[in-house]
Amino acid sequence: MEQLIIRGGQRLNGEVTISGAKNAALPLLCAALLTDEPVTLHNVPRLHDVQTMLALLHHMGVATRHDAGNTAHLHAGRLGEPEAPYALVRSMRASILALGPLMARIGYAKVALPGGCAIGSRPVDQHIRGLQAMGAETVVEHGNIIATLPRGVQRLRGARITTDMVTVTGTENLLMAAALAEGETILANAAQEPEIVDLAEMLIAMGAQIEGHGTGRIRIQGVARLHGCEHSVVADRIEAGTFLCAVAATGGEVLLHKARGKHLGAVLEKLRDMGVGIECLDDGIRISSPGAASGQLQAQSFRTTEYPGFPTDMQAQFMALNCVAQGTSTITETIFENRFMHVGELQRLGAHIQADGKVAVVEGGSRLSGAAVNSTDLRASASLVIAGLVAEGETCVGELHHLDRGYDDIESKLRGLGADIRRSSHGGHCA
């Protein structure tokens, strides 16, 4: 079993380039299903989830190639099986993103109910209801969502859709479906994340007519067909936030190339309040921090919420930072009900945290010491890496398949900044 072996206590200094965003790349890859012309995507991260999505698209008949320069070439000229089987998608809930494009392009889709991280219920009923409003007939049976168009109907039709909750993948799915629907679609209560904007910009480059992306109301005028395009995946704001928390905790000065400060407003505000220096540049973010060991960092309370609020995908990383900052903080998780599973592992390293339901109280100033810990989900794994970077002695982080779903070679990037970290298939002294 592979582990990350980390010896804490090293300050981080230098420069690092932030990879393309996983949560943008996955819907962008699915958007290639909307056209029979070639699509080229640049800055596609080399992640397990990306490889799973490419395998899924290949299964459907899409010609795919992900070259060494992180460029993905896709051509859905002729689609074979419009099906996303459970065997391919059980570890990645983003498979649901094939539903909208398949319905828009060929009027039929069979998509297995997705799996992914065990961080709570993430229902797909909003996707189904939206497609039903656009004229699709759907049934859920044998673990699959099966969607079809009524006999004699050639295309989805535009509709006004107001989701019961803000859903990122729901907005993405319905946005792609509406791009080829007949007439106008209004998506109310739409998600506003940068990944939504990135998808809309790619669709516009393919010939879609979209307005209001990045707001809670998106207007789409359907077109008869879309063409190929060339597009670059936006930088991963969560990877950038993870590195910001790591540098804040260890101390040092780092320039994060490609990171976009405007996508991390809530996180940057908390870091500044904590006592960390943040400078937003045209093509990056510079961070300077005295580090937790200085005793100058002040813990910050926060509440996760939909963008542009504090992202749930940064909750675990910031909790690790709060553990070593000074003072007591309260963290309220409002998005997923099971997203405090990293608490027990942080406690193994010496953190003082009390979690009850959706609220965790962190007593800062902990002196962490290395131990063997296991990742429980993607962002939990990043929190353990951050804790290991400041802990005394050696920390061994296991279950790395979670980390590899969302971080492109994070250990090499950290090592380039001065961290004492390596991947081992033999375990470390704390294994």
Side-chain angles (χ1 to χ4, degrees):
M1 181 182 70
E2 285 192 327
Q3 291 181 314
L4 282 183
I5 314 300
I6 309 168
R7 293 197 65 85
Q10 303 298 315
R11 291 171 67 86
L12 301 180
N13 290 283
E15 301 180 2
V16 64
T17 299
I18 301 302
S19 300
K22 172 182 82 80
N23 290 338
L26 298 178
L28 295 177
L29 291 169
C30 283
L33 292 166
L34 291 166
T35 179
D36 60 1
E37 296 184 12
V39 169
T40 300
L41 292 176
H42 301 291
N43 201 32
V44 178
R46 306 197 76 82
L47 303 172
H48 183 270
D49 276 11
V50 169
Q51 298 310 310
T52 299
M53 183 62 79
L54 289 171
L56 174 61
L57 294 173
H58 181 75
H59 171 80
M60 295 177 183
V62 181
T64 64
R65 178 166 59 89
H66 193 188
D67 65 29
N70 288 345
T71 295
H73 306 269
L74 306 105
H75 189 192
R78 296 183 63 184
L79 292 178
E81 289 287 333
E83 179 178 341
Y86 184 64
L88 275 176
V89 305
R90 59 186 177 184
S91 66
M92 183 188 67
R93 75 176 300 271
S95 60
I96 193 68
L97 289 168
L99 185 61
L102 287 174
M103 280 301 298
R105 171 89 179 273
I106 62 175
Y108 175 82
K110 181 180 179 181
V111 178
L113 290 169
C117 285
I119 58 174
S121 174
R122 299 195 271 191
V124 298
D125 61 311
Q126 302 302 306
H127 306 239
I128 295 173
R129 290 176 184 173
L131 288 174
Q132 288 173 338
M134 299 172 75
E137 296 179 343
T138 64
V139 62
V140 178
E141 60 182 17
H142 306 300
N144 298 300
I145 303 168
I146 301 174
T148 59
L149 286 176
R151 185 182 299 274
V153 176
Q154 302 299 314
R155 295 168 63 187
L156 293 170
R157 63 173 183 268
R160 181 180 179 87
I161 302 169
T162 303
T163 54
D164 294 340
M165 64 185 72
V166 176
T167 162
V168 175
T169 54
T171 299
E172 290 166 341
N173 233 339
L174 299 175
L175 179 59
M176 289 187 281
L180 287 178
E182 184 177 357
E184 182 180 87
T185 297
I186 301 293
L187 300 181
N189 201 28
Q192 303 176 42
E193 274 75 359
E195 295 80 16
I196 302 287
V197 175
D198 204 32
L199 173 60
E201 289 176 350
M202 175 180 169
L203 293 173
I204 291 170
M206 297 171 70
Q209 297 182 20
I210 303 171
E211 298 175 354
H213 43 295
T215 75
R217 184 180 185 275
I218 304 176
R219 176 180 175 272
I220 309 103
Q221 187 68 41
V223 296
R225 68 181 303 272
L226 296 174
H227 53 74
C229 75
E230 192 168 346
H231 182 81
S232 186
V233 180
V234 69
D236 195 324
R237 61 193 171 100
I238 305 303
E239 180 185 339
T242 299
F243 275 92
L244 291 171
C245 285
V247 178
T250 64
E253 183 172 330
V254 172
L255 174 60
L256 283 66
H257 291 289
K258 294 188 177 181
R260 299 189 183 184
K262 66 180 181 179
H263 293 168
L264 283 163
V267 174
L268 298 185
E269 180 181 353
K270 291 296 180 182
L271 287 170
R272 289 188 175 107
D273 291 345
M274 181 173 276
V276 174
I278 298 290
E279 182 183 5
C280 294
L281 309 173
D282 289 341
D283 188 37
I285 300 173
R286 179 177 285 111
I287 176 174
S288 57
S289 173
S294 70
Q296 298 178 40
L297 300 183
Q298 298 299 313
Q300 299 295 311
S301 297
F302 62 90
R303 178 186 184 91
T304 66
T305 187
E306 292 86 0
Y307 188 86
F310 197 99
T312 181
D313 278 353
M314 282 301 305
Q315 177 254 108
Q317 301 93 307
F318 216 96
M319 179 184 286
L321 178 55
N322 271 344
C323 288
V324 295
Q326 301 300 306
T328 299
S329 59
T330 300
I331 298 172
T332 305
E333 172 60 57
T334 71
I335 307 298
F336 297 123
E337 67 270 22
N338 294 333
R339 211 162 199 183
F340 284 150
M341 292 188 294
H342 47 281
V343 167
E345 300 302 292
L346 289 172
Q347 288 170 335
R348 282 183 50 77
L349 297 173
H352 298 287
I353 309 167
Q354 294 293 327
D356 184 9
K358 295 183 177 182
V359 178
V361 178
V362 181
E363 183 182 337
S366 296
R367 186 174 179 178
L368 303 183
S369 58
V373 291
N374 279 323
S375 306
T376 54
D377 62 68
L378 170 54
R379 304 309 172 184
S381 64
S383 75
L384 299 178
V385 170
I386 293 169
L389 290 172
V390 293
E392 295 179 357
E394 190 171 84
T395 298
C396 304
V397 181
E399 302 292 339
L400 296 186
H401 60 280
H402 292 296
L403 189 73
D404 293 340
R405 286 187 53 233
Y407 291 94
D408 189 350
D409 201 13
I410 191 173
E411 65 269 24
S412 293
K413 291 182 177 180
L414 287 169
R415 197 160 50 244
L417 297 176
D420 187 344
I421 181 173
R422 62 185 174 86
R423 185 177 292 238
S424 172
S425 59
H426 305 293
H429 297 304
C430 54

